[in-house]
Amino acid sequence: MGKIVILTGAGISAESGLGTFRDEGGLWAQHRIEDVATPEGFARNPALVHRFYNARRVQAAGADANAAHRALARLQREWPDDVILVTQNVDSLHEAGGARDVIHMHGTLAGALCSTCQHRWVSEPEMTPADTCPACGQRSVRPDVVWFGEMPYFMDEIYDHLANAQIFAAIGTSGQVYPAAAFVHEATAADAETVELNLEPSEGVSYFDRKILGPATQTVPLWVDELLNRARRQN
Ligand code: OAD
């Protein structure tokens, strides 16, 4: 049946109560990207950046997976070929919904990273500039998230998957942040069928073969049913 590659963004977690970035009242209306999501902002004011991610960690820990996360996990279990989940989200709601091997291209709130020795570990719920790395002892502990100006994680692996995709879907992402926004072009070059599922048309909607508009908790389970019915018919 072929490999499915799915890219998700903040919109898939919106109905779990986690705010998106660019919708009205979203995180980027309340905080300046340069202050809280760049290496320069962290160097200037690490306490502020830790407070921002500590608050997001608390909020994410109180959120539950929704029907869209669960439907994608079901697709992973029941689709007769690989279903690769790539997320820009730093929450763990795909995993909470039962998904496995989720590729977190922008890192995770659950992770801490030492910028001196690159050691990674599970972060404390609260991080502070006084924290020390358990491996090298340096006070250079940061959230293991990707900031603007940094290279997202697992890019080679993701491009390999896109080059072999038969179906590519982008769910709940505004298509404004690269390189994720360009995945649709890689998938198109690989002759994949491309579909966008979003509340409203994204920046790059015209690049997709098909668009399905509506809240993810409604559209994603229906789309997954459609795919699994297709797989059954072809068996
Ligand atoms: P955005 O906030 O840019 O976009 C969220 C998208 O989800 C919008 O297009 C909304 O229309 C859509 N949406 C909102 N509610 C929805 C719902 N219930 N169902 C379906 N769609 C819904 O978030 P992302 O595209 O994920 O990066 O942002 C990409 C990256 O920009 C993030 O990973 C983050 C951010 O700055 C970094 O911090 C590096």
Side-chain angles (χ1 to χ4, degrees):
M1 289 295 303
K3 180 186 289 208
I4 302 179
V5 179
I6 298 170
L7 169 71
T8 66
I12 198 167
S13 296
E15 291 164 86
S16 292
L18 301 182
T20 62
F21 296 96
R22 295 177 182 79
D23 291 306
E24 213 183 312
L27 277 172
W28 295 154
Q30 301 165 47
H31 305 270
R32 281 159 35 106
I33 290 183
E34 312 83 281
D35 289 342
V36 298
T38 61
E40 295 78 15
F42 186 60
R44 264 196 315 272
N45 193 343
L48 173 83
V49 176
H50 278 308
R51 272 202 305 279
F52 174 74
Y53 286 98
N54 288 344
R56 294 187 63 203
R57 204 173 289 113
V58 169
Q59 202 194 15
D64 293 323
N66 66 43
H69 299 107
R70 288 193 295 272
L72 295 184
R74 174 169 171 244
L75 184 64
Q76 261 190 336
R77 285 192 303 272
E78 298 183 16
W79 182 251
D81 212 317
D82 286 343
V83 175
I84 308 297
L85 267 180
V86 180
T87 189
Q88 299 167 90
N89 298 345
V90 291
D91 65 52
S92 301
L93 294 183
H94 281 302
E95 289 86 346
R100 53 190 156 68
D101 302 329
V102 181
I103 301 176
H104 281 272
M105 63 178 290
H106 289 168
T108 65
L109 286 171
L113 167 68
C114 172
S115 38
T116 303
C117 74
Q118 309 303 313
H119 179 64
R120 289 192 156 83
W121 66 101
V122 175
S123 99
E124 296 296 324
E126 289 254 315
M127 293 173 72
T128 76
D131 293 347
T132 52
C133 169
C136 73
Q138 293 294 310
R139 274 194 184 179
S140 46
V141 178
R142 57 169 280 181
D144 192 7
V145 300
V146 174
W147 287 322
F148 286 91
E150 296 180 322
M151 181 58 84
Y153 298 152
F154 310 114
M155 291 311 297
D156 290 346
E157 193 185 329
I158 294 169
Y159 285 127
D160 279 351
H161 287 307
L162 288 167
N164 294 300
Q166 205 121 93
I167 299 175
F168 170 72
I171 304 178
T173 176
S174 62
Q176 294 191 40
V177 176
Y178 286 81
F183 289 174
V184 61
H185 303 304
E186 301 290 323
T188 302
D191 270 339
E193 180 186 322
T194 57
V195 54
E196 167 170 299
L197 295 95
N198 213 39
L199 196 56
E200 56 202 24
S202 78
E203 194 96 337
V205 66
S206 60
Y207 304 128
F208 289 80
D209 299 324
R210 180 180 171 200
K211 64 169 186 271
I212 304 175
L213 297 182
T217 57
Q218 290 175 27
T219 57
V220 177
L222 288 174
W223 176 68
V224 166
D225 283 346
E226 179 193 314
L227 286 174
L228 292 176
N229 283 335
R230 201 204 284 185
R232 267 179 227 113
R233 276 200 306 276
Q234 292 199 3
N235 251 336

